[in-house]
């Protein structure tokens, strides 16, 4: 029946086990054949043959006996093995095959090998040797299955498994009840004659070569090509014949006669069609014994068919198994045999999964569809049985598409099919004797849930990965994660969990299942929950598992103690006597193996509920090695289960804080107490100590409270805390009695050390540390003086008393004050405490102390450094009585974890500490102003330095009386300071002067304001950089100052009168380096000597107001016209004209008149504007002021002193008077007046600048334009004042000038220049057009003239211009001015588009005009941009343009560009004065 030749592509999967199943599994056979082992294999070593190591005694027991002299040793030992085999048959009668495997033996060694399978040695074996052995075993089991199946077919029925009060069943044996006489006789013969026990079995006459030929070469993960072989793989009929199982014992004799396959298939199909037609019929049962007997026979027939189908399933003939199971399921369904109906459906599902795993195409039988007998309206849209048949038909050309369709149909059917099976199991429980035992029902539910979980984890698909996981129990790919699976994936986790919870054993089932079975069920449920990622449900099940384990372990401990004859309380001593070590590792594991055990199980349970454990969960924290427990404690070795670094401890504190805020505290306490009880029941001393410590750690506050706060109390009552502390002491004592000396827990409070302080030296002896870079920066500051950039002077930073590290002297003890805290209600005894340091060699004395309950105590510890260098006190090394010796960092500041105001995670992820968000330091490198993110407690480190001797310098004298002086604004004065070196052995070879004043402090405070405008920021930086209040006057060629011991030196300091200056400090940093500055590699230390100076600054000359007005260009044109006339005269006149261009140094109106005469000639430009300055003398004495204005230096002029040809305006101001000065300022042209406002201080430079004020781009452009033109004006003007009576002099502060948009319009030169002039024809007389000004002309009427308009593009981009000319009557209202009929005519267009005007290009446009009457006319001109020019795509410059555009976008400059078309108007229109020829002749 089960010949593999009928289905060569089938497989038998073996499940090897070294232990017997529980006794309760016998009640489930033959309902579930896999519950008991079918093959018992004995393994023997062939190398021991002939050495007398194998044999049995005379009573049949195995043992070593002397060999007979007449019998060969090998044959006798083989006979002894056969006798042992017969004993195995009697010991395991339910197994079908009993076989001996003799390894490392050749056939030449053994002669009688008929009942023994020989496995040759590895050196003579081939790659297929073990496969051949397994084929031999397979042949035996298949033959025995045939015998067993025929025996079953001779039975009338098989009873269902049922559970009684004592856990036994009615058919609690593998073999069927009431077997036929032939089967009983064969069993009797097998017991009497061991060598012929299976003589009637088909295995004796089977050809093993055929069996081996059907075995695949290897077990593939996915069988490729099986679809092609399926067409020839299925025989016409099984080798022994397969038909409907007989209902009587007489039917067994005809088992060898099998009907044709087509006939059987047609009958099956006809039966399915008939059932489909009669689906809606109502079955009517007959009355009387005949009808009941017929139904019982049908039920028995269906049950036997289901078992035969299960045999086909185990034999690897899955299509035949499906056929038998479909028939059995239909029969059971028709007879309401719910229990066997469910089993048939379950086995059909297994067959379909095996076919899918083997890569075969299949069809789902009709009987599997749960909606087959219901109306169409109630059918699910996902499960449509119309495409399926009741029989399994394998496609002869199984393609990938068909297989995928079959897998998809099976995937859609799984939830409903499993629901039907479970419902059938539930319905069967309503009938007496048909209830499925709890262990079988729960395992079925767990199997279903595991299958659904595999589909869910594979994104709702029954793919190859899911099949490999279900069949071979391989791991799913690492890419499969719960977090990556959509919540809409079907089946959903919620549905799977609901199904899985049905396997949970109820409280009423405790009577029918043993503790072992209950533990197995709960473990399976927890495993599936873990795969689904439902850790909370898994923890709930594990908690129930603990409640089951603990009573069982206690009872087992009592029984074991009773067997050993000792009291249960003396179990630890008994373990020590037996030589066993208490452990929580898995059974059969050595200490070196790292596999999960009870301890890992409790860890998982604790993590889910959020217990704070001593075993770190962070990846960076490594566990303590096992060898550390076996070593004796060394005083210089810190034993800790976690990394003792400060970072690791802080990370663990954060993790513990997150765990404390997560979950329910009562549940955590309950879980930890259960863990302690479990470890005590094992017993596991290490687990008792660990979880007791975890309970104290979990219930602790986990904070560093203030000294006057009571927030750090523990959640446990005082009695419970004392009980736990005593439990630790008792457990440690018991461990020491067992020889475990180093079994100690970790202390449960990381905030033991709250402070370490050292007495600092006197402030006047405290050196200040400086880096080498600070020394170099200070040297740059000295060299840069006043004209350098904004350089930060590190010596101006006032040292913070908290940042200065105290210094120690080598060989001298220093006292440290250590503060300790105990937040628990029992005292803590500290055996040894010493300071933990790093850096130089440091010797610390050890102290001991007892800390009372819930208090803070201080302890004095002494220590001394042995060498010079850097020393850091990082904490204390503490050995607490009953705890491990470890290092505690210093947490001096109070710390309490702040709960998150926002819910950033839910579930178990909420127990993880959220990482601090990284903060960028590019835009704000200052640590003081950088925003601080939420972080853990900061471990304090006491930094100390051991250095050599340093000199002492004081201020001996100064030239200032009472260190005070008075200056005027802009005036400079100097004074001297004398420094004395009081040291007699050490000289001063480093002397640095630094200065501070109140204006620097106010400016620094103002510059920290983020709402300040960039222009104001620049103004404050300029006043701080270019106008310093103090500076040292250093003589030329003066080298570094060196003050010898006991000597003095004098220095000169200059003071500048700045507005607002009231006081300042002269700071002198000195040190003894003993080497050149360039060779300094380490940190240097300086001391400071300071001299406070009081300064009174009085007002002198102030700028009260200013204004800028436009100025006509007619003066410059007139001077140029006169110059041309002068050029025609003699050379002497030319020389006189040249002398008039010398520098003017006049006063009053004569100077201004002289300046007007030089406009347009020499270095003076053509375009100017008027600058009006109002200056006031605030000093009580007259002051003489001088203001200088210089012209713009052209490109062809030499770059000498720009003020060499500037003109000067002098004025004498009386006390309290205000005078207005008129200055002629050249108009200015800037290429980029909208450039960003710079900053002189690198600390204020930001990569991304966001305007703090919400202003429009137009306003921003105006502000920048005003800023840059103001800076340009300040470059062309300067001034000073002099008090002639005292010869005091100073500079006038002109940065008080303020400009407006109107002033900028008068000052700047237009981007597009427009000039117009009239030209007469060449043949006309010269008196037709006469120019009287820059744009003023006098003409005659009725003359044809040409109006030339000149356009100059001064921008940096091309322009598409549109010229508009507008003639009008001058000095007339608008409506009259445009009425030019019969007055003014022109030839051409007044509005015309001009070609593209390139940068710095000039074009000229002509327009013919004629004035018909006398009068005053004016022609205005305007140029409008037709469209905005865009640069063409150029391969050579595209990269540079792209970079420039990117930079402009980053700084927001793109918003300031003009995005609309622009228009320019002529600054001066063309004024035309027309006159009659007669009037001109009359004149």
């Amino acid at each position: 029946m089960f010949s593999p030749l009928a289905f060569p592509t089938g497989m038998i999967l073996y499940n090897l086990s070294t232990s017997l199943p529980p006794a309760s599994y016998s009640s489930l056979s033959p309902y579930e054949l896999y519950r008991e082992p079918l093959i018992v294999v004995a393994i023997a070593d062939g190398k021991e043959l002939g050495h007398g190591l194998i044999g049995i005694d005379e009573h049949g027991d195995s043992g070593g006996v002397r060999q007979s002299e007449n019998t060969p040793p090998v044959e006798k030992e083989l006979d002894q093995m056969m006798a042992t085999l017969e004993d195995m048959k009697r010991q395991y009668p339910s197994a079908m095959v009993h076989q001996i495997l003799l390894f490392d033996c050749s056939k030449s060694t053994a002669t009688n090998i008929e009942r023994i399978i020989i496995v040759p040695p590895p050196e003579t074996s081939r790659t297929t040797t073990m496969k051949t052995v397994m084929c031999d075993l397979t042949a035996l089991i298949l033959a025995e299955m045939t015998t067993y199946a025929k025996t079953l077919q001779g039975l009338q029925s098989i009873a269902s498994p049922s559970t009684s009060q004592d856990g036994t069943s009615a058919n609690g044996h593998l073999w069927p009840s009431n077997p036929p006489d032939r089967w009983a006789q064969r069993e009797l013969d097998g017991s009497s004659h061991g060598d012929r026990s299976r003589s009637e079995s088909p295995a004796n006459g089977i050809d093993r070569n055929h069996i081996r030929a059907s075995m695949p070469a290897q077990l593939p993960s996915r069988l490729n090509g099986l679809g092609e072989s399926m067409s020839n793989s299925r025989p016409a009929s099984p080798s022994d014949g397969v038909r409907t199982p007989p209902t009587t014992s007489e039917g067994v004799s005809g088992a060898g006669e099998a009907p044709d396959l087509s006939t059987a298939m047609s009958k099956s199909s006809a039966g399915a069609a008939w059932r489909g037609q009669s689906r809606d019929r109502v079955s009517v049962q007959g009355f009387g014994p005949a009808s009941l007997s017929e139904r019982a026979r049908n039920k028995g027939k269906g049950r036997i068919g289901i078992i035969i189908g299960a045999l086909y399933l185990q034999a690897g003939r899955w299509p035949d198994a499906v056929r038998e199971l479909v028939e059995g399921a239909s029969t059971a369904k028709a007879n309401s045999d719910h229990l066997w109906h469910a089993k048939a459906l379950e086995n059909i599902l297994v067959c379909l999964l095996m076919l899918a795993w083997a890569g075969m195409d299949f069809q789902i039988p009709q009987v599997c569809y749960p909606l087959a007998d219901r109306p169409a309206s109630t059918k699910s849209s996902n499960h449509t049985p119309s495409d399926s048949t009741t029989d399994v038909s394998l496609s002869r050309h199984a393609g990938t598409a068909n297989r995928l369709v079959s897998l998809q149909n099976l995937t859609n059917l799984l939830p409903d099919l499993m629901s039907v099976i479970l419902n059938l199991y539930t319905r069967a429980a309503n009938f007496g004797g048909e209830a499925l035992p709890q262990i079988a029902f729960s395992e079925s539910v767990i199997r279903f849930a595991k299958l659904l979980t595999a589909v869910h984890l594979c994104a709702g698909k029954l793919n190859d990965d899911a099949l490999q996981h279900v069949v071979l129990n391989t791991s799913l790919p690492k890419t499969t994660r719960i977090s990556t699976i959509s919540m809409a994936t079907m089946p959903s986790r919620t549905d799977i969990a609901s199904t899985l919870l049905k396997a949970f054993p109820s409280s009423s089932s405790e009577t029918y299942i043993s503790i072992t079975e209950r533990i197995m069920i709960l473990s399976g449920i927890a495993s599936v929950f873990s795969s689904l990622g439902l850790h909370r449900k898994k923890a709930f099940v594990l908690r129930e598992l603990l409640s089951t384990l603990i009573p069982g372990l206690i009872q087992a401990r009592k029984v074991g103690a009773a067997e050993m004859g000792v009291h249960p309380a003396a179990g630890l001593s008994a373990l020590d006597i037996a030589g066993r070590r208490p452990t929580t590792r898995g059974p059969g594991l050595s200490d070196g193996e790292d596999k999960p055990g009870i301890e890992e199980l409790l860890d998982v349970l604790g993590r889910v509920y959020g217990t704070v454990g001593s075993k770190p969960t962070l990846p960076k924290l490594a566990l303590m090695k096992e060898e550390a427990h076996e070593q004796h404690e060394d005083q210089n070795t810190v034993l800790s289960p976690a990394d003792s670094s400060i970072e690791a401890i802080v990370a663990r504190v954060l993790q513990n804080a997150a765990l404390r805020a997560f979950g329910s505290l009562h549940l955590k306490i309950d879980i930890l107490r259960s863990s302690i009880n479990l470890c005590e029941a094992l017993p596991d001393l290490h687990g008792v100590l660990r979880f007791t410590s975890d309970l104290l750690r979990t219930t602790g506050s986990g904070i560093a409270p203030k000294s006057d706060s009571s927030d750090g109390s523990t959640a446990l009552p005082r009695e419970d805390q004392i009980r736990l502390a005593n439990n630790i002491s008792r457990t440690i004592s018991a461990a020491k009695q067992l020889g475990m000396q180093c079994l100690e827990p970790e202390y449960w409070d990381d905030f033991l050390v709250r402070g370490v302080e050292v007495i600092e030296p006197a402030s006047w002896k405290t050196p200040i540390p400086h880096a080498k870079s600070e020394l170099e920066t200070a040297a740059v500051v000295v060299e840069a003086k006043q004209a350098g950039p904004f350089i930060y002077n590190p010596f101006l930073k006032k040292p913070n008393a908290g940042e200065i590290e105290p210094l120690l002297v080598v060989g001298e003890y220093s006292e440290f004050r250590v503060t300790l805290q105990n937040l628990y209600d029992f005292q803590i005894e500290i055996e040894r405490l010493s300071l933990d340091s790093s850096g130089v060699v440091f010797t610390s004395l050890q102290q001991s102390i007892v800390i009372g309950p819930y208090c803070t105590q201080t302890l004095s510890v002494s220590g001394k450094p042995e060498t010079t260098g850097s020393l850091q006190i990082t904490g204390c090394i503490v050995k607490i009585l009953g705890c491990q010796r470890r290092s505690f960092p210093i947490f001096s500041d109070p710390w309490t974890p702040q709960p998150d105001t926002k819910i950033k995670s839910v579930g178990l992820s909420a127990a993880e500490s959220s990482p601090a968000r990284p903060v960028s330091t590019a835009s704000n490198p200052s640590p003081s102003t950088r925003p601080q993110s939420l972080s853990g407690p900061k471990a304090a480190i006491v930094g100390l330095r051991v250095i050599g001797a340093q000199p002492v310098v004081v201020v001996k004298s100064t030239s200032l009386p009472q260190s005070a002086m008075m200056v005027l604004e802009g005036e400079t004065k100097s004074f001297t300071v004398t420094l004395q070196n009081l040291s007699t052995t050490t000289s001063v070879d480093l002397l640095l002067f630094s200065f501070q004043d109140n204006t620097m402090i106010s400016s620094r405070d103002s510059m920290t304001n983020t709402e300040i405008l960039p222009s104001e920021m620049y103004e404050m930086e300029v006043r701080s950089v270019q106008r310093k209040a103090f500076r040292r006057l250093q003589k030329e060629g003066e080298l570094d100052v060196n003050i010898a011991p006991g000597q003095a030196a004098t220095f000169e300091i200059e003071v500048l009168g700045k507005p607002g200056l009231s006081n300042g400090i002269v700071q002198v940093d000195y040190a003894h380096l003993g080497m050149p500055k360039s060779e300094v590699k380490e940190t240097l230390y300086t001391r400071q000597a300071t001299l406070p100076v009081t300064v009174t600054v009085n007002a002198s000359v102030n700028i009260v107001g200013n204004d800028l007005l436009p100025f006509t260009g007619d003066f410059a044109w007139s001077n140029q016209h006169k110059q041309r006339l002068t050029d025609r005269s003699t050379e002497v006149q030319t020389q006189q004209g040249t002398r008039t261009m010398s520098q003017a140094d006049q006063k009053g109106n004569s100077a201004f008149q002289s300046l007007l005469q030089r406009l347009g000639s020499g270095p003076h430009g053509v375009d100017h504007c008027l600058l009006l300055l109002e200056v006031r003398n605030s000093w009580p004495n007259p002051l003489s002021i001088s203001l200088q204005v210089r012209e713009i230096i052209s490109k062809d002029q030499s770059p000498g002193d720009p003020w060499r040809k500037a003109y000067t305006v002098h004025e004498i101001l009386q006390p309290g008077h205000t005078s207005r000065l008129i200055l002629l300022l050249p108009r200015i042209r800037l290429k980029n007046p909208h450039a960003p406002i710079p900053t002189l201080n690198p600390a204020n430079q930001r990569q991304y600048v966001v305007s703090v004020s919400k202003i429009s781009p137009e306003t921003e452009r105006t502000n920048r334009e005003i800023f840059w033109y103001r800076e340009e004006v300040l470059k062309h003007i300067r001034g000073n004042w002099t008090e002639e009576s005292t010869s005091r002099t100073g500079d006038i502060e002109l940065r008080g000038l303020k400009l407006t948009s109107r002033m900028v319009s008068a000052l700047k030169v237009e981007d597009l220049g427009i000039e117009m002039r009239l030209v007469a024809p060449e043949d006309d007389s010269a008196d037709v057009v006469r120019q009287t000004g820059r744009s003023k002309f006098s003409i005659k009427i009725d003359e044809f003239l040409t109006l030339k308009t000149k356009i100059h593009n001064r921008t940096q981009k091309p322009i598409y211009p549109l010229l508009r000319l507008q003639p009008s009557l001058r000095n007339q209202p608008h409506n009259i001015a445009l009425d030019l009929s019969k007055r003014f005519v022109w030839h051409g267009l007044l509005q015309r588009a001009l070609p593209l005007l390139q940068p710095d290009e000039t074009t000229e446009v002509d327009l013919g005009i004629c004035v018909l009457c006398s009068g005053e006319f004016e022609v205005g001109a305007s140029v409008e941009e037709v469209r905005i020019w865009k640069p063409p795509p150029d391969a050579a410059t595209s990269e540079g343009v792209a970079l420039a555009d990117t930079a402009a976008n980053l700084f927001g400059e793109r918003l300031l560009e003009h995005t609309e078309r622009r228009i320019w108007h002529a600054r001066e229109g063309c004024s035309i004065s027309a006159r009659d020829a007669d009037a001109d002749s009359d004149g």
Side-chain angles (χ1 to χ4, degrees), residues 845-1133:
L845 301 180
Q846 295 184 356
Q847 300 291 338
S848 61
I849 190 176
V850 176
I851 309 176
Y854 201 86
C855 68
T856 301
Q857 294 183 215
T858 58
L859 178 66
S860 179
V861 181
S862 301
K864 67 175 180 179
E866 302 292 343
T867 57
T868 61
S870 179
L871 174 66
Q872 291 83 29
I873 305 297
T874 58
C876 296
I877 301 176
V878 183
K879 175 61 178 72
I880 301 175
L881 181 62
C883 297
Q884 297 175 7
R885 186 171 181 265
R886 54 162 289 191
S887 177
F888 290 88
I890 306 171
F891 296 110
S892 56
D893 297 333
W895 179 81
T896 301
Q898 299 296 330
D900 293 337
T901 56
K902 297 182 179 179
I903 300 177
K904 300 181 180 180
S905 57
V906 294
L908 293 181
S909 59
E912 301 176 0
S913 58
S914 57
R917 189 178 66 179
V919 180
S920 175
T921 58
S923 61
N924 193 4
S926 176
S928 59
T929 59
R930 191 182 308 159
Q932 300 292 334
S933 60
L934 296 178
S935 59
K938 295 182 179 179
I941 298 179
V942 181
L944 305 172
R945 177 69 61 178
V946 182
I947 63 174
Q950 290 291 328
V952 178
V953 176
V954 296
V955 178
K956 181 180 180 180
S957 62
T958 177
S959 61
L960 294 178
Q962 299 181 355
S963 298
M965 63 183 309
M966 188 276 294
V967 293
L968 297 179
E969 290 183 1
E971 182 185 8
T972 58
K973 282 187 177 182
S974 61
F975 64 93
T976 59
V977 177
T978 302
L979 302 178
Q980 177 75 35
N981 184 7
L982 301 181
S983 177
T984 58
T985 57
T986 307
S987 62
V988 177
D989 54 5
L990 176 64
L991 199 65
L992 298 175
F993 282 85
S994 304
F995 306 97
Q996 295 185 17
D997 59 83
N998 60 311
T999 59
M1000 295 174 57
I1001 299 175
S1002 59
S1003 300
R1004 190 182 303 114
D1005 296 341
S1006 300
M1007 286 186 288
T1008 56
N1009 186 9
T1010 57
E1011 298 181 358
I1012 192 172
L1013 296 177
S1015 58
E1016 298 177 359
M1017 175 74 73
Y1018 180 84
E1019 192 68 24
M1020 288 187 293
E1021 291 176 350
V1022 168
R1023 292 181 180 179
S1024 301
V1025 173
Q1026 299 179 359
R1027 308 289 289 176
K1028 295 183 178 180
F1030 293 89
R1031 70 186 185 97
R1032 176 191 170 192
L1033 297 179
Q1034 192 171 3
K1035 300 178 181 179
E1036 296 182 1
E1038 183 179 358
L1039 301 177
D1040 295 339
V1041 179
N1042 191 337
I1043 304 178
Q1047 301 298 321
T1050 303
F1051 305 92
E1052 185 176 4
I1053 309 298
E1054 184 183 71
V1055 181
L1056 171 64
K1058 293 175 59 176
L1061 179 63
S1062 60
N1063 58 78
I1065 297 176
V1066 179
Q1067 176 180 308
V1068 181
D1069 291 85
Y1070 62 93
H1072 174 74
L1073 301 178
M1075 63 184 72
K1077 298 179 182 178
S1078 59
E1079 298 180 2
V1080 176
K1081 299 180 180 180
E1082 300 178 353
T1083 303
L1084 63 130
Y1085 294 85
T1086 63
R1087 288 174 173 168
Q1088 289 183 357
T1090 58
L1091 174 64
V1093 179
T1094 303
V1095 182
T1096 302
V1097 180
N1098 294 326
S1100 57
V1101 177
N1102 301 323
I1103 302 297
V1104 179
N1106 63 279
D1107 196 3
L1108 276 173
L1109 301 176
F1111 189 69
T1112 180
D1114 292 341
F1115 289 96
W1117 176 86
S1118 178
N1119 294 336
Q1120 291 178 351
H1121 182 68
K1122 292 179 181 179
Q1123 183 68 29
R1124 288 193 293 269
L1125 296 177
T1126 306
D1127 292 341
R1128 301 172 186 173
S1129 62
T1130 61
E1131 184 178 358
V1132 177
Q1133 293 176 345

Side-chain angles (χ1 to χ4, degrees), residues 29 35 109 137 177 244 365 499 501 507 594 820 857 892 990 1095 1113 1183 1284 1480:
S29 179
R35 289 293 180 177
T109 305
L137 285 176
S177 61
T244 304
T499 303
L501 288 177
S507 58
D594 187 12
L820 305 174
Q857 294 183 215
S892 56
L990 176 64
V1095 182
L1183 297 177
E1284 297 180 355
D1480 196 13

Side-chain angles (χ1 to χ4, degrees), residues 1090-1300:
T1090 58
L1091 174 64
V1093 179
T1094 303
V1095 182
T1096 302
V1097 180
N1098 294 326
S1100 57
V1101 177
N1102 301 323
I1103 302 297
V1104 179
N1106 63 279
D1107 196 3
L1108 276 173
L1109 301 176
F1111 189 69
T1112 180
D1114 292 341
F1115 289 96
W1117 176 86
S1118 178
N1119 294 336
Q1120 291 178 351
H1121 182 68
K1122 292 179 181 179
Q1123 183 68 29
R1124 288 193 293 269
L1125 296 177
T1126 306
D1127 292 341
R1128 301 172 186 173
S1129 62
T1130 61
E1131 184 178 358
V1132 177
Q1133 293 176 345
T1134 303
Q1135 296 176 355
Q1136 290 178 355
T1138 303
R1139 285 195 299 267
T1140 59
M1141 293 187 296
S1142 60
Q1143 180 176 352
D1145 191 6
Q1146 303 178 17
K1147 300 181 180 179
N1149 296 332
S1150 60
F1152 188 72
Q1153 293 176 358
S1154 176
L1155 179 62
L1156 293 179
Q1157 295 176 1
R1158 294 192 299 275
L1159 293 179
S1161 61
H1164 301 278
V1166 178
D1167 292 339
H1168 290 78
C1169 61
L1170 294 179
L1171 174 62
L1172 305 180
L1173 286 180
E1174 295 181 359
V1175 295
R1176 176 183 176 83
N1177 181 12
S1178 301
W1179 184 242
N1181 296 328
L1183 297 177
S1184 176
I1185 63 173
S1186 299
L1187 293 175
Q1188 288 183 300
V1189 180
R1190 65 176 180 87
E1191 292 286 337
I1192 299 176
I1193 300 176
S1194 59
K1195 297 181 180 179
D1196 54 351
Q1197 294 181 359
S1198 59
D1201 185 10
W1203 299 95
R1204 182 171 57 87
K1205 294 185 179 182
Y1207 73 91
T1208 306
V1209 176
H1210 296 278
E1211 186 74 21
I1212 297 177
L1213 291 179
Q1214 297 298 325
H1217 285 202
T1218 301
S1219 177
R1220 174 174 295 177
L1221 302 180
I1222 302 177
L1223 303 177
L1224 203 58
L1225 194 66
R1227 296 181 67 198
I1228 301 171
R1229 162 69 185 163
L1230 295 179
K1231 293 183 178 180
N1232 187 13
H1234 303 140
I1237 300 175
T1239 177
L1240 302 178
N1241 187 359
N1244 296 330
Q1245 293 181 356
R1246 296 179 176 88
Q1247 183 178 3
Y1248 305 101
V1249 180
V1250 180
S1251 180
V1252 296
S1253 57
K1254 298 179 181 180
I1255 59 177
S1256 61
E1258 291 77 9
T1259 307
E1260 183 69 18
R1261 284 196 298 267
T1262 302
N1263 294 340
R1264 292 187 179 185
E1265 191 177 38
I1266 292 174
F1267 171 80
W1268 287 112
Y1269 278 104
R1270 176 177 176 274
E1271 292 298 318
E1272 198 66 23
V1273 168
L1274 294 176
K1275 295 178 182 178
H1276 290 78
I1277 183 174
R1278 69 179 182 180
N1280 55 53
W1281 57 267
T1282 304
E1283 186 180 8
E1284 297 180 355
S1285 60
T1286 59
S1287 300
R1288 303 174 70 173
T1289 183
D1291 297 332
I1292 300 176
E1293 182 60 54
L1294 297 176
R1295 300 202 64 87
L1297 293 178
K1298 298 182 182 297
L1299 299 185
T1300 61

Side-chain angles (χ1 to χ4, degrees), residues 28 76 261 270 317 340 824 841 940 1012 1150 1295 1328:
L28 299 174
K76 184 175 181 179
L261 178 62
R317 293 178 55 174
W340 291 84
Y824 293 84
V841 179
I1012 192 172
S1150 60
R1295 300 202 64 87
V1328 174

